[in-house]
């Protein structure tokens, strides 16, 4: 992937000069960046943990949503003649908790929260990283053959936030970076993304440094800038034949060397970046989480630092997108997931979810829940989504755990429990337990994309409504013997529309 | 109800093939060409199936067509691939060029690409081949009912003489000598005097980069300081992205922003880490305020970093940079040096024109030292190699002297540091990184006791050991037992170090020693050869995956291209009930369109069905009554299959062991391994025309000698000492 030979260095110098000229006032920076748009920008964070296996009885509030039923599909539209309604009602706190998993720390955000039920992958995904739309990560895909597509955070960043300093922040606690990420890079390969606007690091300090640089006062020698400038000159010497023999470089070689210079220019630009949130200091800890470590306390400490960086990046409008992967950390590992329904194992699963929510997610919500403008907080203007790899049955992805916080700038009504399952359908027994079919996950992704300000024309692939491959399981394997087409085929016509009930 | 394979077909195919050979030979001889005239120099190419075109393939079941196969009365005039391609380029690329959307001929850069394309059908011979090759039908319009006939459209028609050349080229592609198994040996076409294919600028892989930093620090001259500096910097290596696992490392070596930022941070970190020891780096010189001391430091340290002496201009550049900094001068200097493109890339830009090979340069001694060292040791040259590079050619120890060069090759290969490179080849050739991690099983039934006592949940030892077993086998047969390639496919040695893999194999664990007494062996008749090892058998499901097994053998061991499933293919529903995996796959791929490829895939997977999805040997397949049940029924394994290693191969194999033998003894395997080793060595894909001589040299070495000779002696090929950068 090579860049054009236009002089990016001059262009980037211009950007840096403009940034340097601004006063150190975050509110002014944000306003000037979006001077033509009076509304605060919308942001999206996707948090994800592997495995799953939380029983519905532990995840969801005990009672069904207390609000009315509303029609999604009439009897003439569904395959089995059932009427497909959804139900929506306010979340309730009982004994300090919304459910067994959502304890007091999360329940404090009840009014900004939605629990969504009945969002289904249309196929038996097993192990995957497809919650943001790249279903090809499913290890079933070797027989299905779906193409890799960018995850929705990448799409939003590419389409909507192209002008930002950093489009996407990818937080992972383990090396190698991007390996098995739910965020599938828009350009390059997942392991070798060539997108210069995506940023990730294994320590919060490195992540902060990648996003922000504090320029020394003018007139002070910027050592890193000096080094970058000299490296550039060194490479230029190669290209011009001052160093080495440029005649031995083919046109393709020269293009590659030029690309090296272009990338160096970006590196050099970062050495000159001004922190537009001058009062924020970088996290002190610069130690990546040790590979192979299972230390919940250390993991929490690290994630809280990442939360700091994300919150700063959002407040400074350096980025509006983040994806966040959380691993088992020794509390909950793969072997348990196969028998997560057994009481002792389920208790571990609940403990693990409680640990994530009260330590990591509640911390992030708190840091974002400060006023941005007009009485609304950064949290209000964002959509934070937490999902998992599997539903209550490990390897299965029906009625996926999905909880959101924030209203995406008023696009979502909040404080609700919404249940999209078709309780009148007898169709579904994928593996062991009965599931009621809900609505396709593809439509949920389309809902997120549109509420983040994109139009379908900006993200839909030719002939494919919604987002994500429209593969519907046909019951061809012993692992997934149920033909799911009756559950979802009729929903394909609406799969690109915003889900009802979100407002 | 069971789906049975048609067993009669292979016998009929074999008889017809023999008839065709005899008829071809007799026709040539009758035409006055003699036996040798029937066969032309071909290329070490493999035959792949064309798909997707309704007019492309005449069914191999069509006995009538075979019986009526037309053969030329005499051999066609020889037309080279270059002549063929020049006509295509001139006549077709206007409409069928890159990005045209009409069928991009520009993508077929070499002969193999053309012969593997849908436009030439090598499944047939003689006139049938012309009739069924779409390129002929399109330009002459006299083939099958082809809508797009009489090409090029709206342009002057191709002269008949050029059409004849295209036809003669296609007719003359396939030739070689008959092997004992009935396989025709197809050498790579070697035209001496042909320049090698273009060798683009490559960056160091991450392994090479890290190793080179470690070894460049030997300039310090104090191992404890060297280690301290290296360890100090090591944390920054995580900033450098890992190499792609999709191909042989170094082929896809794009430089991303993360690479650049990572190189920068590593360079800065090295600079900072060296500062406490900066005086040590002066090696007795007075101080950094003495210009000659700094210049000498740049000269000597820079030589290791550049992997060649610096010019005066280069030294002055760094010296100026050193002076210009307002602070941290020494640290900045080291950071800039370690960020030089000469360090990050395999720059071979100093060579001289190489005789009569157009556009080709002979590597300088330093460049040759680097190429040797990075190939065998994945790092920069050591002091001995540098010293050999600096000796004049007249000195017998010089790298530019034949005996001196041989001595260095021998030394580098014999050293244990080459083990990494040997293992790396087997790892990357066989794509061992794609070995399923059985811990990630998606089978609900695992906990129903399928794995038995084998712990597949809690650790990654089995997965890692499956990979290292193959690497160690490769190492053993290459460097220790010095065996031919066939040994890999006849080996009954187990190198399973982990408890889990040893349990899968049913043998004692290996202790890591290559002493003969320490080697474990499988029970007789149960498991021999590469294709019966866990890494090449395992799936992370309770069922095996014959298609995946078959694709890997077809692509990685035989270098046959397999196109993706054609659009619109309808996959029949899977058999549900008491069926073996073989029966299910057979039914699933029974559609005629599917079989155009799957007839060359499935049989490989079926032949190793005598091993389960963990790699355990079995006589019966455990078929679970339903997904909720802990009960299963045992169904006898059927692992008989056609070998189908090469076109017309009608041998039947009855087990994974026999399949190993069929594959391991084939010419095609050796040609494929040669290709992959070329890629591994040069970090680029081969061009069978331009690199034909080198490929043939590598292939012959493997065919006639040991793996050791094959691996080591690539460095003795003339092309190893050359580079053609391209225009």
């Amino acid at each position: 992937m090579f860049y054009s030979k236009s002089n990016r260095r001059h262009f980037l110098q211009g950007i840096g000069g403009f940034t340097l000229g601004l006063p150190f006032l975050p509110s002014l920076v944000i306003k000037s960046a979006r001077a033509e748009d009076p509304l605060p920008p919308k942001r999206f964070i996707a948090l994800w943990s592997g495995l799953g296996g939380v029983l519905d009885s532990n995840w969801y509030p005990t009672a069904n949503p207390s609000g009315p039923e509303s029609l999604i599909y009439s009897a003439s539209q569904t395959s089995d003649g059932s009427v497909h309604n959804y139900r929506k009602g306010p979340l309730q706190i009982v004994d300090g908790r919304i459910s067994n998993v959502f304890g007091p720390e999360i329940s404090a955000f009840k009014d900004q929260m939605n629990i969504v039920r009945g969002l289904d992958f249309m196929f038996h995904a097993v192990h995957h990283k497809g919650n943001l739309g790249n279903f090809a990560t499913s290890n079933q895909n070797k027989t299905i053959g779906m193409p890799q597509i960018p995850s929705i955070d990448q799409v939003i960043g590419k389409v909507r936030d192209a002008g930002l300093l950093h489009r996407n922040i990818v937080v992972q606690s383990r090396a190698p970076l991007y390996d098995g990420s739910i965020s599938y890079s828009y350009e390059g390969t997942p392991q070798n993304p060539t997108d210069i606007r995506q940023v990730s690091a294994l320590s919060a300090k490195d992540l902060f440094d990648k996003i922000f640089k504090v320029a020394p006062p003018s007139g002070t020698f910027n050592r890193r800038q000096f080094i970058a400038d000299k490296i550039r000159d060194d490479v230029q010497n190669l290209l011009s034949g001052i160093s080495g023999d440029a005649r031995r470089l083919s046109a393709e070689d020269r293009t590659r060397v030029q690309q090296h210079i272009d990338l160096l220019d970006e590196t050099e630009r970062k050495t000159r970046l001004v922190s537009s949130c001058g009062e924020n200091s970088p996290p002190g800890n610069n130690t990546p989480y040790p590979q192979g470590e299972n230390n919940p306390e250390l993991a929490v400490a690290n994630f809280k630092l990442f939360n700091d960086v994300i919150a700063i990046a959002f407040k400074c409008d350096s980025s509006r997108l983040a994806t966040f992967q959380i691993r088992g950390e020794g509390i909950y590992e793969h072997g348990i997931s196969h028998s997560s329904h057994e009481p002792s194992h389920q208790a571990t699963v609940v403990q693990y979810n409680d640990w994530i929510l009260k330590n990591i997610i509640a911390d992030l919500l708190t840091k974002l829940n400060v006023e941005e403008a007009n009485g609304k907080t950064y949290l209000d203007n964002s959509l934070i989504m937490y999902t998992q790899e599997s539903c209550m049955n490990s390897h299965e992805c029906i009625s996926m755990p999905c909880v959101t916080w924030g209203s995406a700038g008023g696009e979502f009504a909040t404080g609700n429990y919404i249940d999209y399952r078709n309780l009148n359908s007898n169709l579904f027994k994928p593996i062991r337990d009965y599931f009621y079919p809900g609505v396709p996950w593809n439509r949920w992704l389309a809902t997120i994309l549109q509420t983040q300000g994109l139009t379908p024309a900006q993200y839909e692939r030719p002939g494919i409504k919604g987002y994500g491959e429209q593969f519907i399981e046909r019951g061809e394997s012993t692992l997934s013997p149920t033909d799911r087409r009756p559950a979802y085929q009729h929903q394909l016509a609406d799969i690109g529309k915003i889900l009802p009930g979100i407002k | 109800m069971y789906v049975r394979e048609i067993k009669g077909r292979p016998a009929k195919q074999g008889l017809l093939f023999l008839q065709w050979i005899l008829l071809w030979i007799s026709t040539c001889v009758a035409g006055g060409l003699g036996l040798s005239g029937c066969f032309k120099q071909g290329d070490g190419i493999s035959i792949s199936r064309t798909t997707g075109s309704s007019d492309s393939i005449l069914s191999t079941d069509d006995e009538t067509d075979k019986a009526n196969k037309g053969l030329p009365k005499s051999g066609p005039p020889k037309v080279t691939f270059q002549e063929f391609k020049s006509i295509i380029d001139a006549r077709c690329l206007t409409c069928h060029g890159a990005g045209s959307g009409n069928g991009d001929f520009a993508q077929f850069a070499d002969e193999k690409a053309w012969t593997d394309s849908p436009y030439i059908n090598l499944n047939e011979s003689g006139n049938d081949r012309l009739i069924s090759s779409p390129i002929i039908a399109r330009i002459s319009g006299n083939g099958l009912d082809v809508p797009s006939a009489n090409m090029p459209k709206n342009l002057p028609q191709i002269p008949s003489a050029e059409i004849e050349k295209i036809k003669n080229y296609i007719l003359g592609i396939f030739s070689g000598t008959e092997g004992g198994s009935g396989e025709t040996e197809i050498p790579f076409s070697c035209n001496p005097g042909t320049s090698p294919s273009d060798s683009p600028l490559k960056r160091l892989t991450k392994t090479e980069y890290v190793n080179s930093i470690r070894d460049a620090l030997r300039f310090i001259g104090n191992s404890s300081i060297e280690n301290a500096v290296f360890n100090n910097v090591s944390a920054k290596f995580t900033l450098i992205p890992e190499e792609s696992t999709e191909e042989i490392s170094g082929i896809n070596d794009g430089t991303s922003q993360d690479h650049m930022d990572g190189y920068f941070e590593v360079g800065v970190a090295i600079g900072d880490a060296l500062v406490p020891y900066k005086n040590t780096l002066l090696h007795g010189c007075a101080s950094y305020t003495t210009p000659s001391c700094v210049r000498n430091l740049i000269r000597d340290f820079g030589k290791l970093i550049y992997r060649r002496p610096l010019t005066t201009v280069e030294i002055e550049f760094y010296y100026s940079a050193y002076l210009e900094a307002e602070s941290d001068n020494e640290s900045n200097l080291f950071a800039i040096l370690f960020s030089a493109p000469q360090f990050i890339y395999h720059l071979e830009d100093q060579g001289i024109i190489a005789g009569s090979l157009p556009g080709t340069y002979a590597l300088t001694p330093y460049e040759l030292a680097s190429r040797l060292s990075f190939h065998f040791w994945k790092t920069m040259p050591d002091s001995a190699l540098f010293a050999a590079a600096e000796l004049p050619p007249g000195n017998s120890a010089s790298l530019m002297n034949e005996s001196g060069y041989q001595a260095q090759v021998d030394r580098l290969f014999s050293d244990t540091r080459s083990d990494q490179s040997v293992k790396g080849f087997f790892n990357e050739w066989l794509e061992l990184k794609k070995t399923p991690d059985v811990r990630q099983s998606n089978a609900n039934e695992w906990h129903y006791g399928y794995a038995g006592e084998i712990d597949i949940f809690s650790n990654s030892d089995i997965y890692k050991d499956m990979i290292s077993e193959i690497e160690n086998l490769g190492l053993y047969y290459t460097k220790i037992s010095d065996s031919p390639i066939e040994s890999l496919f006849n080996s009954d040695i187990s190198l399973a170090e982990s408890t889990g893999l040893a349990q899968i194999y049913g043998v004692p664990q290996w202790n890591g020693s290559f002493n003969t007494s320490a080697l474990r062996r499988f029970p007789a008749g149960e498991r021999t050869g590469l294709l019966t090892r866990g890494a090449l058998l395992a799936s992370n499901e309770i069922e095996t995956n014959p298609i995946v097994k078959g694709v890997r053998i077809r692509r990685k061991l035989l270098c046959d291209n397999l196109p993706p499933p054609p659009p619109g293919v309808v996959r029949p529903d899977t058999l549900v009930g008491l069926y073996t995996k073989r029966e299910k796959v057979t039914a699933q791929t029974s559609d005629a369109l599917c079989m155009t490829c799957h007839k060359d895939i499935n049989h490989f997977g079926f032949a190793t069905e005598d091993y389960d999805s963990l790699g355990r040997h079995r006589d019966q397949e455990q078929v679970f009554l339903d997904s909720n049940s802990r009960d299963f029924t045992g169904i006898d394994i059927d692992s008989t299959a056609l070998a189908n290693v090469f076109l017309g191969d009608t041998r039947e194999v009855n087990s994974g062991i026999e399949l190993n033998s069929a594959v391991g003894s084939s010419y095609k395997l050796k040609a494929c391994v040669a290709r992959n080793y070329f890629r591994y060595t040069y970090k680029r894909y081969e061009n069978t025309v331009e690199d034909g001589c080198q490929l043939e040299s590598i292939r012959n070495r493997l065919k006639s000698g040991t793996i050791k000779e094959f691996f080591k002696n690539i460095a003795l090929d003339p092309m190893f000492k050359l580079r053609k950068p391209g225009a």
Side-chain angles (χ1 to χ4, degrees), chain A residues 465-481:
Chain A
K465 297 289 184 190
Y467 199 81
E469 282 293 301
Q470 292 177 1
F471 176 72
I472 304 178
E473 194 74 49
R474 301 198 299 170
E476 295 176 330
S477 74
T478 54
L479 300 174
S480 183

Side-chain angles (χ1 to χ4, degrees), chain A residues 126 223-224 234 256 334, chain B residues 253 265 318 331 439 442:
Chain A
V126 194
R223 180 186 163 226
R224 289 168 63 86
D234 198 359
R256 180 157 201 176
H334 181 246
Chain B
D253 70 332
E265 296 299 334
Y318 291 110
S331 176
R439 289 178 306 151
N442 66 358

